[in-house]
Amino acid sequence: MYIWRLHTLRLALEDEGLMGVLGELMSKLTELRELCLGFCTLTGHLRKLLSPLNTPLQCIELANCSLNAVDMAYFANSLHSEHIVKLDLSGHEVADLFPITFRKLLHRCCATLTSVGLEECGLDDDKLDLLTQALRPCHRLQELKILGNPLSTAALHNLFNMLALGFPALRYIELPVPRDCYPEGVTYPLDESTLINYDREKFQQARTELTGILEREGKGHIEVCTPLFGAYDPDINETSNELGVSMLHSFSSVIGNFIDTVSVTQQREQQSNEQ
């Protein structure tokens, strides 16, 4: 299985042809299943990039990619949508930008989806219904990551009640610090100095109440944590919140490595056929 990472790529309208080229190159990797595009600006380009692929992706990271309604409409109706195992849409205000297609996407992949990342998606108490409706049929869900959303303790109670009564495979939840643990008037997304300026005692009380909901339903084994500065990724030697700061590879080296991989794959296929 191939995994391809591309970070901090910025595209303009005139770069649409480039997306088509990348899509065609990726289509030659018939074992490509995982695509990491975090912090690439892909507004309006997602169809060009993904439509050439004949094999559905199983894992896709689209965090902070500035997707628009057109991108999500394509993605929710694409061949990939019914095969997604791991999905990251962090950094997109899904309830404001594309609520209907967001819900449709999760419903279409509900039979396979095990992990959802929705960090800093502007999900507040008024938008909790969208999240619960979207998640409800996803019975194979194992991980839910919702850090950085302005949800109150009361709203999180409602969410945890739903999670406790279903979702038999759930094993891991990244819990945001409840909005009411911060001083009044804070604005989201939170900057680094505000992020750590919360009432620890109040947060611990809220966390105890939420984990208690799980325990009462026999789900005390679910890990609930709040990694405020992101999860460390040993593969790329940085935290998820730092991905936008440094480019993993220059764009030219990405293309070069990609073409080399395609060439090696084709050579192996030819050798196999000759044998």
Side-chain angles (χ1 to χ4, degrees):
M1 181 181 75
Y2 289 108
I3 301 173
W4 197 46
R5 294 180 183 271
L6 178 61
H7 294 289
T8 61
L9 175 64
R10 301 289 184 262
L11 296 170
L13 290 175
E14 60 269 20
D15 295 317
E16 186 173 356
L18 179 59
M19 282 291 94
V21 172
L22 285 173
E24 290 298 330
L25 286 171
M26 288 193 298
S27 71
K28 298 182 184 299
L29 294 177
T30 56
E31 296 299 316
L32 182 65
R33 296 292 185 274
E34 183 170 348
L35 189 58
C36 302
L37 298 168
F39 292 89
C40 294
T41 302
L42 299 176
T43 313
H45 293 290
L46 197 61
R47 178 190 292 271
K48 274 286 185 182
L49 183 63
L50 299 185
S51 61
L53 304 183
N54 296 314
T55 305
L57 294 168
Q58 295 177 355
C59 304
I60 184 163
E61 178 195 343
L62 294 167
N64 299 284
C65 286
S66 300
L67 302 181
N68 61 19
V70 173
D71 294 314
M72 185 55 66
Y74 158 72
F75 192 42
N77 292 284
S78 69
L79 72 92
H80 309 287
S81 63
E82 294 184 343
H83 300 271
I84 298 171
V85 175
K86 186 174 182 179
L87 174 68
D88 192 345
L89 290 172
S90 298
H92 295 94
E93 296 195 359
V94 294
D96 294 327
L97 294 172
F98 29 69
I100 295 174
T101 45
F102 166 69
R103 184 169 56 242
K104 179 178 182 179
L105 173 62
L106 264 63
H107 285 194
R108 290 199 67 182
C109 64
C110 66
T112 56
L113 190 66
T114 64
S115 177
V116 180
L118 295 168
E119 299 180 18
E120 295 188 348
C121 285
L123 295 167
D124 58 20
D125 292 16
D126 293 334
K127 298 164 186 172
L128 181 63
D129 280 349
L130 173 67
L131 177 60
T132 56
Q133 290 169 15
L135 290 176
R136 200 173 299 279
C138 302
H139 299 301
R140 297 188 64 184
L141 190 67
Q142 297 176 16
E143 297 181 345
L144 178 62
K145 302 177 181 180
I146 53 172
L147 292 173
N149 287 291
L151 292 164
S152 68
T153 300
L156 288 167
H157 270 252
N158 292 334
L159 176 61
F160 270 60
N161 277 318
M162 184 195 79
L163 296 174
L165 294 174
F167 306 94
L170 191 61
R171 295 292 181 271
Y172 180 80
I173 302 172
E174 287 190 358
L175 169 73
V177 175
R179 187 189 64 218
D180 43 291
C181 292
Y182 286 104
E184 289 188 20
V186 297
T187 57
Y188 285 76
L190 302 171
D191 59 38
E192 188 170 312
S193 60
T194 305
L195 185 65
I196 59 175
N197 184 29
Y198 63 92
D199 187 324
R200 265 67 173 176
E201 184 176 345
K202 193 171 183 179
F203 169 68
Q204 190 56 47
Q205 176 62 32
R207 187 184 184 282
T208 299
E209 293 171 2
L210 294 169
T211 55
I213 293 172
L214 299 175
E215 290 168 359
R216 284 192 293 274
E217 296 299 330
K219 295 188 175 180
H221 59 279
I222 296 176
E223 181 181 357
V224 179
C225 63
T226 305
L228 291 179
F229 294 101
Y232 185 77
D233 188 338
D235 292 332
I236 55 177
N237 199 33
E238 59 187 344
T239 66
S240 58
N241 285 355
E242 294 168 340
L243 289 176
V245 178
S246 62
M247 188 179 292
L248 297 181
H249 304 285
S250 68
F251 185 62
S252 60
S253 71
V254 169
I255 294 295
N257 292 339
F258 203 89
I259 293 174
D260 289 344
T261 303
V262 171
S263 299
V264 170
T265 302
Q266 290 177 331
Q267 290 174 4
R268 288 176 178 173
E269 289 178 350
Q270 289 175 353
Q271 291 173 357
S272 177
N273 291 334
E274 290 174 358
Q275 293 174 356

